[in-house]
Amino acid sequence: MIVVSDIWAEALSILSGRLQAISFEVWIEKLEPLCFTQNRLILLANSQSSKKTIENKYLDTIKEAVTEVNALITDVIIITENQKEKYLKEKDYIFNNELVVSNKKPVKDNGFSFSKKYTFDTFVVGKSNEIAVAAAQTVAEHPGGNFNPLFLYGGVGLGKTHLMHAIGNYIKEHSPHLKILYTTAEKFTSDFINSINQNKVNKSATAEFKEKYRCVDVLMIDDIQFWSRSTGSQEAIFHIFNDLYQNDKHIIITSDRPPKEIAQLEERLRTRFEWGLTEEIKPPDLETRIAILKRKAAGQNFFLTDDVAYFIAKNVQSNVRDMEGLLNKVIFYSSLTGSLVDSIQSAQEALRDYIQINKESIDANDIINTTARFYNVTPADIIGKRRTKEVVEPRMIAIYLIRDLLNIPLQSIGEIFGGRDHTTIINARDKIEDQLKSNSHVQNAVKDIKDMLYRR
Ligand code: ADP
Ligand code: MG
């Protein structure tokens, strides 16, 4: 049975990690889950104006989180009190072969609620992540012991947040007296800034802020690459870190890159973050990707054939979240059309639109525009003749990416770049190729631009 309040409670725990604390508290937490009508989740807002704001600013993020919780829910509708009757009339209906029963307020415990989906049991271990998982398990079993701080890094969608939740779930179950605080770097910074602003009216606001972070047994900070440069918040975390560390409290940090590549991090924090264990989570190999898909499908009671698992795993190589997205589309497609998706051919049919977007619809313009956006210059700068430092690197990277991703003849690339000679194009490409071997700044730029391109 799919219960509306359970779905919303899980979505809330995802959203609390993705939105700034203040937006989460003001807008999202106040929504009341009402019911499902067909595959839509209906949420009740407390006023017309909050409905408008939520629709404008947060609806996409909410939809994404809800679909992550259950792939069958494909839409979210925000309503106000006067529409309640109308939707409640439609509410009882058969959903995924089960009757939906709604109306139970989400149960919130005092601490952060970790997603029940993200446990050690649901995490597939392979060569790419075995050390990280072993370390995470050790920390979960003996918080305050070895590997303090635990610093896990790796690309988007490789399971960093999942492992943090797994540690959180484990500790909550086995050592319920321990206090765990999960936050993101962004949320930490915005909490900090809020406390400074509030301090003008409430003299103890910053003290309360520090107290909140200092009185925990385990502090988790997700996505530290989004750390702010603000010296105030670096100072705050420095003191919090020292306090916790000296008292054998555990600190767990994740990032998309190792500490030494987080440019905005003060040196004294960087060295501290490296005191414990710094471990990379790499993209899983084909075999592990297939095992992950099978486990995810089983979690949704979907029978995934070897062929379809292989087809999906082949198509997404470096991001488990994207791979899961494809699986969810297959599940949704088969429930919608009532057809079995059990062969490569039927999977191809179910994923036709998505896979094409990823592989074929990127053209030279997309690459130039995305590179320009990444470097904060204009597409004209990239194609143009200026040779200032700000535009030369983006230009070379755009050339490299066009050659790498599109396989267009050198001559044509030269034409796109204002009639440049093909040797110029070769030089640019070779230079970036060379820098990719050792220069982490260029490595990150190329990686981030590719991410942006494929996530359009
Ligand atoms: P990150 O925080 O590294 O960006 P997440 O932890 O959010 O990534 O993971 C993205 C999705 O991929 C989640 O649904 C997670 O459960 C799944 N995932 C990633 N790696 C694994 C794995 N080894 N086993 C099972 N699920 C995984
Ligand atoms: Mg994450």
Side-chain angles (χ1 to χ4, degrees), residues 157-205:
L158 295 184
K160 302 182 294 294
T161 300
H162 185 139
L163 278 179
M164 269 191 167
H165 280 246
I167 297 174
N169 280 318
Y170 187 97
I171 297 179
K172 278 202 161 184
E173 189 185 338
H174 294 85
S175 322
H177 59 284
L178 294 184
K179 246 180 119 177
I180 318 169
L181 188 65
Y182 168 96
T183 187
T184 60
E186 266 177 313
K187 201 159 164 236
F188 179 93
T189 319
S190 75
D191 272 5
F192 175 73
I193 292 166
N194 282 339
S195 80
I196 300 227
N197 291 337
Q198 276 172 18
N199 223 39
K200 290 169 199 141
V201 278
N202 166 10
K203 283 274 167 292
S204 53

Side-chain angles (χ1 to χ4, degrees), residues 18 155-162 182 222-223 225 254 321:
R18 292 196 184 155
V156 180
L158 295 184
K160 302 182 294 294
T161 300
H162 185 139
Y182 168 96
D222 207 355
D223 286 328
Q225 73 273 14
T254 71
R321 187 180 297 129

Side-chain angles (χ1 to χ4, degrees), residues 118 122-124 157-162 292 296 320-321 324:
Y118 295 162
T122 57
F123 200 82
V124 176
L158 295 184
K160 302 182 294 294
T161 300
H162 185 139
I292 294 173
K296 297 276 176 195
V320 177
R321 187 180 297 129
E324 216 180 320

Side-chain angles (χ1 to χ4, degrees), residues 36 60 164 175 194 246 362 431 448 454:
F36 295 115
D60 288 343
M164 269 191 167
S175 322
N194 282 339
Q246 276 157 19
I362 290 174
K431 181 132 192 228
D448 290 350
Y454 287 117

Side-chain angles (χ1 to χ4, degrees), residues 40-301:
R40 302 172 305 181
L41 170 65
I42 313 299
L43 298 170
L44 184 64
N46 54 13
S47 70
Q48 189 61 30
S49 69
S50 43
K51 169 179 149 77
K52 277 245 158 64
T53 311
I54 295 165
E55 284 175 340
N56 288 338
K57 291 177 70 179
Y58 306 110
L59 195 55
D60 288 343
T61 317
I62 298 177
K63 279 185 196 168
E64 221 175 86
V66 169
T67 310
E68 263 175 56
V69 176
N70 189 311
L72 294 169
I73 309 167
T74 50
D75 204 4
V76 172
I77 295 184
I78 312 288
I79 61 159
T80 49
E81 193 68 29
N82 57 355
Q83 297 168 287
K84 201 169 156 181
E85 284 300 300
K86 169 175 169 276
Y87 281 95
L88 281 177
K89 269 199 204 115
E90 297 175 18
K91 110 179 168 188
D92 274 347
Y93 78 109
I94 309 293
F95 181 76
N96 195 19
N97 298 329
E98 308 228 35
L99 191 64
V100 175
V101 180
S102 75
N103 274 332
K104 197 176 77 187
K105 283 226 161 193
V107 217
K108 272 189 74 182
D109 54 26
N110 290 327
F112 176 80
S113 65
F114 291 98
S115 169
K116 296 278 174 297
K117 280 198 322 190
Y118 295 162
T119 62
F120 286 117
D121 287 340
T122 57
F123 200 82
V124 176
V125 184
K127 278 222 159 0
S128 57
N129 59 26
E130 59 193 0
I131 298 179
V133 176
Q137 264 162 341
T138 307
V139 171
E141 284 160 18
H142 305 285
N146 286 338
F147 311 138
N148 196 13
L150 175 62
F151 191 108
L152 299 177
Y153 70 93
V156 180
L158 295 184
K160 302 182 294 294
T161 300
H162 185 139
L163 278 179
M164 269 191 167
H165 280 246
I167 297 174
N169 280 318
Y170 187 97
I171 297 179
K172 278 202 161 184
E173 189 185 338
H174 294 85
S175 322
H177 59 284
L178 294 184
K179 246 180 119 177
I180 318 169
L181 188 65
Y182 168 96
T183 187
T184 60
E186 266 177 313
K187 201 159 164 236
F188 179 93
T189 319
S190 75
D191 272 5
F192 175 73
I193 292 166
N194 282 339
S195 80
I196 300 227
N197 291 337
Q198 276 172 18
N199 223 39
K200 290 169 199 141
V201 278
N202 166 10
K203 283 274 167 292
S204 53
T206 26
E208 279 165 22
F209 168 84
K210 285 183 188 143
E211 200 48 37
K212 172 176 161 194
Y213 287 92
R214 275 179 183 166
C215 72
V216 299
D217 298 293
V218 180
L219 175 63
M220 302 179 169
I221 308 179
D222 207 355
D223 286 328
I224 198 119
Q225 73 273 14
F226 296 125
W227 198 256
S228 135
R229 277 176 199 277
S230 115
T231 43
S233 67
Q234 303 236 2
E235 178 82 16
I237 193 68
F238 178 72
H239 291 297
I240 291 168
F241 183 101
N242 289 343
D243 267 10
L244 293 175
Y245 188 84
Q246 276 157 19
N247 291 307
D248 287 336
K249 307 298 184 192
H250 223 110
I251 298 136
I252 305 167
I253 301 164
T254 71
S255 161
D256 69 347
R257 60 198 78 171
K260 64 174 185 312
E261 286 174 25
I262 308 175
Q264 67 274 33
L265 211 58
E266 283 177 7
E267 193 54 33
R268 56 182 183 165
L269 274 175
R270 191 194 325 276
T271 50
R272 275 172 174 71
F273 288 171
E274 286 172 338
W275 277 353
L277 179 76
T278 304
E279 181 58 33
E280 181 176 7
I281 303 182
K282 298 194 190 73
D285 55 22
L286 182 67
E287 198 185 330
T288 312
R289 295 204 299 280
I290 291 177
I292 294 173
L293 284 167
K294 292 242 163 168
R295 195 143 337 161
K296 297 276 176 195
Q300 302 203 44
N301 294 325

